[in-house]
Amino acid sequence: MSYETAVAQMYALGHELAQTPSHKFNLAHMRVLLGALGNPEKRFPAVLIAGTNGKGSTAATLAAILQASGLKTGLYTSPHLVRMNERIRLDGTAIGDEDFALVHDVVDRTAERLVGEGDLPWHPSFFEMLTAMAFEYFARNRPDMVVLEVGMGGRLDATNVVEPRLSVITDISLDHQKYLGETIGEIAREKAGIIRRNGVVITLPQMPEANDVIGNAILDADARAVNAVPYVPPVSPGSRERAVGGGGKQRYPLDVMGTEIMVESPLVGRHQLRNLALAIAAAVELHDSGTGAITPETIARGIRETHWPGRFQVVPAADGNPEYVFDVAHNPAGAWALRSTLSAGYGKDGDVGREITLVFGVMRDKAMQQMTEILFPIAGKVIVTHANNPRSASPDEIRQAAARVAESGDIEEADTVAAALDRAREVAGQDGLIVITGSIYIVGEAMRSLGIRI
């Protein structure tokens, strides 16, 4: 089977939320598939990371630390920006096209046989297939550790069939309510499903409702909680340890394992300080449990070498093009984080001082109105568009959602992301600032259109 055929067959399964919740969320079916493959998920150690925002950044940072420590490291994340291969990485390198086609063929043939024999009621979903492919690929390559980002939720997510060395829970906010619940408590309960009996859980204090649920889940499982607070730097202006941004990095001293290191992260924004703290706490816990290759120096180097595109990624002005900021914010919490980071990076006195041309698209199952109310007021001009995805809201739907905060003359519509970028360049001029956000799919299409390597 060719790579192109494998990718086409994956997309033919529908997008990741295309099937009904009852079809998508059934770990019994995932276990049947993996059992027929020889249980690849049991042939490598793993760290499992759940949360609403920040789980990808935390996973990427932890994987970079492990790799800098000399460990052969797998990383599984979702969704992808440009190519599906990005989701499955070994030592920072995406799975090759030939290997992708090979493991797809193995998993797909197994799934078809199970359906034909009546062991599975239907073909596995897009995400179940890709997760099984990742497990098969990692099992064949025998990494020292694999970092797994939960796709959605936790309790019934396809990744939650592993027995993790550590469970990590990042910040929880409202998202995917159709599938996970309408309140922070209900969503936190799904995320806490990755906690194992007598396991170890890395987390940070957050909203009280989430704290209560996570705390009770830890108690019920007789698990051990590790608080990452010691690795969060002060943010008060007078503190010596305060994180300072500049040059596309955050920089601050931090005591790790009795040694002061200089944290220099390419992931900028105050919200990333919490994700970095969780990754550091997880690395320290792995060291303390016997992964001796991890040292303060390798933690510092891994953070410095983290590559996680599309997260407040700045592309400087060049060759007559304006400066671009790409950010995959796709819910209100992410939108607030983006607005705060723009203010810190480009503004003064709490306002964004430079005129922004905003290219915005969003999935219609997201909190569209809230996102527009957060982001549109800081832009001089908004160009709304949609991604090549059936979940993507139309430009007209976005305009209607933004009716309370934007005059109709401030919003223009574009049929494609490429057309939106063309118009944004006209509006912004060479000295302007274009911010592209609202969805990872919008950011991915924009990067593809502009030829930006990830």
Side-chain angles (χ1 to χ4, degrees):
M1 179 184 294
S2 71
Y3 170 75
E4 291 75 16
T5 301
V7 170
Q9 289 187 4
M10 287 295 296
Y11 281 128
L13 295 172
H15 63 79
E16 285 160 280
L17 300 182
Q19 294 180 306
T20 66
S22 62
H23 283 204
K24 181 173 174 63
F25 302 134
N26 191 322
L27 292 188
H29 297 161
M30 188 68 184
R31 290 191 175 103
V32 168
L33 175 60
L34 294 172
L37 290 167
N39 293 114
E41 81 285 2
K42 295 180 179 179
R43 302 208 296 272
F44 54 83
V47 174
L48 190 56
I49 303 178
T52 305
N53 291 308
K55 60 185 186 293
S57 296
T58 302
T61 303
L62 178 58
I65 290 170
L66 297 175
Q67 188 180 340
S69 303
L71 299 172
K72 189 175 183 180
T73 304
L75 175 63
Y76 179 58
T77 59
S78 61
H80 60 275
L81 277 167
V82 177
R83 299 186 86 225
M84 208 179 293
N85 308 49
E86 298 163 32
R87 300 176 182 228
I88 304 170
R89 293 183 175 271
L90 193 63
D91 282 341
T93 301
I95 182 174
D97 291 356
E98 189 176 324
D99 283 334
F100 186 97
L102 173 64
V103 293
H104 174 270
D105 189 49
V106 169
V107 175
D108 189 59
R109 286 176 183 271
T110 303
E112 292 287 356
R113 176 174 61 79
L114 292 169
V115 172
E117 293 174 354
D119 294 321
L120 281 179
W122 46 71
H123 194 283
S125 70
F126 177 101
F127 189 72
E128 288 166 338
M129 279 290 295
L130 205 50
T131 302
M133 288 164 59
F135 290 167
E136 180 68 19
Y137 179 69
F138 293 140
R140 289 170 179 236
N141 286 277
R142 300 196 173 277
D144 298 309
M145 189 66 66
V146 174
V147 181
L148 301 170
E149 178 194 2
V150 166
M152 182 174 68
R155 182 174 63 92
L156 295 176
D157 188 80
T159 59
N160 199 31
V161 293
V162 301
E163 286 301 321
R165 296 283 179 89
L166 299 177
S167 300
V168 183
I169 299 178
T170 69
D171 288 344
I172 294 170
S173 60
L174 293 175
D175 202 0
H176 295 300
Q177 290 98 308
K178 175 182 175 182
Y179 300 91
L180 304 180
E182 295 294 334
T183 67
I184 293 294
E186 288 173 328
I187 294 171
R189 198 163 290 112
E190 293 299 317
K191 309 291 185 186
I194 70 167
I195 296 170
R196 295 294 186 269
R197 177 153 299 281
N198 301 314
V200 180
V201 187
I202 315 287
T203 191
L204 279 168
Q206 46 184 301
M207 285 187 266
E209 196 175 354
N211 289 339
D212 287 346
V213 171
I214 295 168
N216 285 328
I218 290 169
L219 289 172
D220 290 345
D222 288 323
R224 177 167 61 87
V226 175
N227 191 341
V229 163
Y231 305 110
V232 180
V235 293
S236 56
S239 172
R240 183 185 79 85
E241 294 85 5
R242 177 174 177 258
V244 177
K249 291 184 179 293
Q250 296 198 98
R251 191 170 188 272
Y252 52 94
L254 190 69
D255 184 272
V256 176
M257 294 161 54
T259 299
E260 184 176 280
I261 65 171
M262 183 57 68
V263 173
E264 294 177 283
S265 173
L267 301 178
V268 299
R270 185 176 291 189
H271 60 293
Q272 291 288 7
L273 301 178
R274 293 173 60 84
N275 302 327
L276 287 166
L278 289 165
I280 294 168
V284 171
E285 183 61 31
L286 287 172
H287 168 272
D288 292 348
S289 63
T291 311
I294 299 169
T295 67
E297 292 74 23
T298 62
I299 289 173
R301 186 165 76 251
I303 292 170
R304 195 164 54 244
E305 295 173 353
T306 299
H307 180 66
W308 192 230
R311 279 71 183 174
F312 206 85
Q313 180 178 349
V314 178
V315 177
D319 302 323
N321 287 310
E323 184 173 358
Y324 293 98
V325 172
F326 298 89
D327 194 89
V328 299
H330 57 274
N331 55 37
W336 277 119
L338 171 58
R339 179 166 169 166
S340 171
T341 309
L342 283 167
S343 176
Y346 293 96
K348 57 182 180 179
D349 301 326
D351 294 318
V352 178
R354 193 166 163 193
E355 179 144 302
I356 289 173
T357 301
L358 185 69
V359 174
F360 182 85
V362 66
M363 300 298 105
R364 68 167 53 86
D365 55 2
K366 299 294 183 178
M368 199 184 330
Q369 181 176 330
Q370 288 176 264
M371 291 186 68
T372 64
E373 290 174 354
I374 294 163
L375 293 174
F376 285 20
I378 66 173
K381 173 68 74 175
V382 177
I383 301 162
V384 295
T385 187
H386 63 100
N388 183 23
N389 185 303
R391 289 170 54 214
S392 192
S394 70
D396 186 59
E397 287 173 316
I398 300 172
R399 182 192 286 273
Q400 291 179 34
R404 282 175 38 178
V405 292
E407 298 290 335
S408 60
D410 295 333
I411 301 178
E412 295 186 20
E413 298 181 13
D415 290 335
T416 65
V417 173
L421 292 171
D422 288 341
R423 178 57 183 149
R425 281 192 294 270
E426 291 176 6
V427 172
Q430 186 174 342
D431 299 324
L433 175 64
I434 298 176
V435 177
I436 302 153
T437 191
S439 163
I440 193 168
Y441 303 103
I442 294 291
V443 170
E445 287 189 29
M447 288 181 162
R448 205 161 33 236
S449 177
L450 294 169
I452 293 171
R453 293 174 61 91
I454 65 159

